[in-house]
Amino acid sequence: MAPTDLPDTLRLSLLDRSRTRVGESHAAAIEGTLARAERADALGFHRYWTAEHHAVPGIASGSPPLLIAATAARTDRIRLGSGGVMLPNHRPLIVAEQFAMLEAMHPGRIDLGVGRSLGFTAPVRAALGVAEYDTDAFARDITAVQDFLHGRGPVTALPVVEAPPPLFVLATGRGLEVAARAGLPVVLGGPRLLADPSPLDRYREMFRPSEATPEPYVVVSLEVMVADSVGTARQLLLPEAWAMAESRETGVFGPLRSPTEILDRRFRPQQLRRVEDWMAGAVQGDAEKVARELAVLVERTGADEIMASTSIFDRDDLARADAALAELLPG
């Protein structure tokens, strides 16, 4: 199947989590995010989003707004956003002010993706000051952010911008219902959700059109690795698969190690199962295989956009993989 078998309307985007590498400073990881944004802009990707994680050794960034400002200064065209701002950690007015400021500085290029995840561990949650946060609170905060951005809040969020940045909901479970009722686009990932499109069917059925989003819009986020062969793609993804498997045992999501170091390890059966489960959720292989699997994924989920969240150890290999994925862009 040729790359042109992907729908002409499909958009391809990147999510970068500022992954750290063994032996590398956090500053180097941030610079890697900025340099990758420049390449993504030149390659024609639609969006480039950064993430919010706190006190996670394997992730250098906890502040999407600051990274968005830095990436905007080094790019010209690509949309920039958050995947996402975690609303339990921020007051709605502050979120609205930050993203209105970004929009004022870079009109028409800013997205606001919001989520509801708490910190990964109890000490992180205690440091953030939030132990509980339910779907109702999430829905209220989304409404409050929208009201502030659109001049409907109890006070005026400044700067006032002519066209506030669009809001996306990072959704699982009831979060899809929140997005549908609010008339907002959704971003979702995870093998179980992608294997069962029925939650997306309910999102579309429940969707209430809004001025900004008159029709449902679905962004599917997952690992996508284009390489010379299936074997090479698998080897490049192995460090991330290992980091995820190890985090299940230790509770620590650590820096990426080289594929050679991972291959030298002796996997216990449970570790191997976890690595294989993670690998099964990634789209990987040569360009033809990846294009074919993405086409199937889009047909099954009705996705309007694919956002690749790929992280690998070697930055040169990552640059080549991004370039190969960009070659699959429709048109």
Side-chain angles (χ1 to χ4, degrees):
M1 179 174 288
T4 51
D5 288 326
L6 291 168
D8 291 339
T9 56
L10 181 69
R11 292 165 166 169
L12 291 181
S13 300
L14 298 179
L15 169 66
D16 187 280
R17 290 174 295 152
S18 301
R19 288 287 274 121
T20 58
R21 276 78 171 166
V22 169
E24 178 184 81
S25 70
H26 287 177
I30 296 298
E31 173 56 31
T33 293
L34 300 178
R36 190 182 185 195
E38 291 184 85
R39 294 193 302 271
D41 192 28
L43 288 168
F45 284 101
H46 183 60
R47 304 180 209 276
Y48 187 83
W49 281 11
T50 54
E52 176 184 343
H53 295 277
H54 299 282
V56 178
I59 297 174
S61 170
S63 180
L66 287 176
L67 261 186
I68 291 168
T71 55
R74 289 173 56 165
T75 55
D76 298 314
R77 173 204 56 82
I78 195 167
R79 295 195 66 89
L80 303 163
S82 53
V85 169
M86 295 300 140
L87 291 185
N89 306 330
H90 310 278
R91 300 303 302 163
L93 174 61
I94 300 300
V95 176
E97 288 177 335
Q98 288 173 337
F99 278 80
M101 179 67 76
L102 289 167
E103 175 65 26
M105 294 188 294
H106 306 282
R109 296 183 58 205
I110 304 302
D111 301 322
L112 171 54
V114 298
R116 54 168 291 197
S117 295
L118 300 175
F120 286 158
T121 64
V124 173
R125 292 191 289 274
L128 291 169
V130 182
E132 296 181 359
Y133 188 79
D134 61 19
T135 306
D136 292 336
F138 188 40
R140 287 195 299 270
D141 282 350
I142 286 175
T143 298
V145 170
Q146 287 184 292
D147 286 347
F148 282 123
L149 281 173
H150 291 269
R152 302 188 296 262
V155 298
T156 301
L158 300 175
V160 174
V161 291
E162 183 176 344
L167 196 148
F168 294 72
V169 178
L170 279 64
T172 57
R174 288 188 61 198
L176 286 168
E177 299 177 16
V178 171
R181 289 195 298 268
L184 294 172
V186 292
V187 184
L188 76 162
R192 274 184 289 182
L193 274 176
L194 299 183
D196 177 15
S198 59
L200 282 174
D201 294 337
R202 289 194 293 274
Y203 161 73
R204 293 185 176 98
E205 291 169 1
M206 296 176 62
F207 187 84
R208 299 176 183 173
S210 62
E211 183 177 352
T213 312
E215 297 180 355
Y217 191 89
V218 173
V219 182
V220 167
S221 181
L222 77 167
E223 302 278 337
V224 183
M225 170 52 60
V226 187
D228 294 337
S229 67
V230 174
T232 300
R234 177 184 171 84
Q235 182 171 318
L236 291 172
L237 287 176
L238 186 58
E240 183 78 342
W242 167 255
M244 294 297 294
E246 190 175 40
S247 72
R248 294 286 299 277
E249 293 187 5
T250 65
V252 176
F253 186 60
L256 291 168
R257 300 180 180 275
S258 73
T260 301
E261 181 179 347
I262 302 301
L263 288 169
D264 286 342
R265 293 173 179 263
R266 179 171 294 179
F267 292 92
R268 297 194 303 276
Q270 187 178 44
Q271 291 174 324
L272 185 59
R273 283 195 299 273
R274 286 173 174 162
V275 167
E276 293 301 333
D277 286 346
W278 186 93
M279 287 285 189
V283 174
Q284 55 185 295
D286 60 24
E288 183 177 355
K289 180 175 182 292
V290 169
R292 181 171 62 248
E293 292 188 8
L294 288 180
V296 171
L297 177 66
V298 169
E299 183 176 2
R300 187 171 69 247
T301 62
D304 301 284
E305 184 172 339
I306 298 293
M307 180 172 285
S309 57
T310 313
S311 300
I312 61 178
F313 179 80
D314 187 276
R315 296 191 184 281
D316 290 337
D317 287 333
L318 182 59
R320 284 189 286 270
D322 287 345
L325 178 60
E327 289 292 323
L328 305 186
L329 284 166

